[in-house]
Amino acid sequence: MGDTEGTDVQRSIKQTFKGETKEAGLYTAIARQAQRQGYGEIAEILKVLAKEEIEHAATCAELNNMIAGDCFQDIRQMLEGEIFANKSKREDALHSEELKVHSAREFFNSASKDKGRYARILEGILKKYNK
């Protein structure tokens, strides 16, 4: 871990991380569209590609030392982020409602609930392992 931190390729790895995560999201969105259009087989292929892009992003995170090397420290950091994202997405849902963009409101409400659920899961892990 951290092999590229402080080297000439650190920036390229960071950019690659961003690209890989973007590609994972796009492949997943295209897979959902294919599913809606009745192309289940294509959707499953695209989901595999998205998962591989996630693996690429994970390798970049490791190479650039984006995680601490202690899973419980990383989980605590992610917990803070999920709590913040839960609140932020609730606010975004309210703003979307004011703008009458109902699809965005529904998304932000759903994502906020997911973020709250993720936070409870992470809290549970930390509690179970007394970390």
Side-chain angles (χ1 to χ4, degrees), residues 53-103:
E53 298 290 12
I54 291 167
E55 292 295 331
H56 296 161
T59 299
C60 291
E62 292 167 341
L63 287 169
N64 265 5
N65 211 24
M66 294 171 68
I67 57 174
D70 171 11
C71 70
F72 294 107
Q73 183 178 344
D74 292 320
I75 289 169
R76 283 189 292 277
Q77 184 176 349
M78 294 302 294
L79 173 58
E80 289 178 23
E82 296 296 357
I83 290 168
F84 175 81
N86 170 259
K87 180 182 176 193
S88 176
K89 294 206 178 345
R90 277 187 277 151
E91 292 169 359
D92 291 337
L94 292 173
H95 185 64
S96 297
E97 178 66 25
E98 290 170 3
L99 297 175
K100 305 215 182 303
V101 183
H102 301 295
S103 57

Side-chain angles (χ1 to χ4, degrees), residues 15-54:
Q15 290 172 331
T16 300
F17 176 83
K18 290 178 181 179
E20 299 292 346
T21 56
K22 179 181 178 179
E23 290 166 353
L26 289 171
Y27 275 129
T28 302
I30 297 166
R32 290 166 57 167
Q33 180 62 24
Q35 190 71 44
R36 286 190 294 271
Q37 291 178 314
Y39 300 110
E41 184 178 356
I42 292 171
E44 293 307 311
I45 292 167
L46 294 171
K47 288 177 190 177
V48 169
L49 297 179
K51 184 175 182 331
E52 290 180 12
E53 298 290 12
I54 291 167

